Amino acid sequence: SLLRLSAWTRRTRPKREQRAMERDPCPHRILDDLGGAFAMGAIGGTVWHSVAGARNSPSGERLAGSLYAVRARAPVLGGNFAVWGGLFSTFDCALVAMRGKEDPWNAIVSGAATGYVLAARGGWRAASRSAAVGGVLLAMIEGLNHFLLRLAPQAPPPSMPPPQAPAAAYAPPAGALGVAARQQLVNEPVLSGATADASDVLMQDKWK
């Protein structure tokens, strides 16, 4: 029964809590986001720079120019994405450790902090602008996710299974050992005191 109750509780949790639980724990989340961001940047850079390299190359050398552009620029774009993803996940994990909970504010603040750090070499003004852009961008993303979660049809929570009665409460099936004799005793009429006396008198007269 405890296992069924725990499974029912997991199925009825809110969608945001389920989404938070589905993410990797924080020490591993940073490495996971690093790899995912690099792969996304490398794939996107391959597509973009293959087309750009082919367009900027002279006729007859478009394939060679496309491959050269991909080799030169796609890893750089993947590295930029990996730096952004790693910083974002690091700030996110730090906020989770400090605040003790996961909510959209962690992502918004992490996006602003990541933008500030990446643009810090350009001065505090450029860093502030980058932080504002990162915070607003993450706020839009989190707001869109929340809106989509509210629009999604929510399945009704499954009902609790009925409690099973113990085995001792069940009567043995008809025809089992001992049931017929017990049923026969139940079906026999119970004589009252006066009726029993009258029966004894009749039996004595009969034997006389």
Side-chain angles (χ1 to χ4, degrees), residues 129-140:
R129 288 194 297 268
S130 179
V133 171
V136 170
L137 179 62
L138 265 298
M140 293 174 61

Side-chain angles (χ1 to χ4, degrees), residues 5-23:
L5 179 60
S6 61
W8 179 80
T9 306
R10 285 195 299 269
R11 290 195 299 266
T12 54
R13 280 174 178 160
K15 290 186 177 182
R16 183 167 294 277
E17 184 180 352
Q18 288 182 356
R19 194 185 71 173
M21 291 184 62
E22 288 174 358
R23 301 186 65 185

Side-chain angles (χ1 to χ4, degrees), residues 92-197:
D92 190 18
C93 288
L95 289 174
V96 169
M98 289 187 296
R99 302 181 65 219
K101 60 180 179 179
E102 293 197 19
D103 56 7
W105 288 108
N106 290 346
I108 295 172
V109 176
S110 299
T114 302
Y116 188 92
V117 170
L118 291 178
R121 295 179 61 184
W124 66 271
R125 292 183 179 178
S128 300
R129 288 194 297 268
S130 179
V133 171
V136 170
L137 179 62
L138 265 298
M140 293 174 61
I141 293 174
E142 289 295 325
L144 181 60
N145 288 336
H146 182 70
F147 180 72
L148 292 177
L149 285 176
R150 293 189 62 180
L151 286 182
Q154 300 196 7
S159 59
M160 283 288 293
Q164 295 184 359
Y170 291 102
L177 182 62
V179 175
R182 191 162 53 249
Q183 188 69 24
Q184 182 180 2
L185 291 176
V186 172
N187 293 334
E188 289 180 0
V190 179
L191 301 177
S192 61
T195 308
D197 295 341

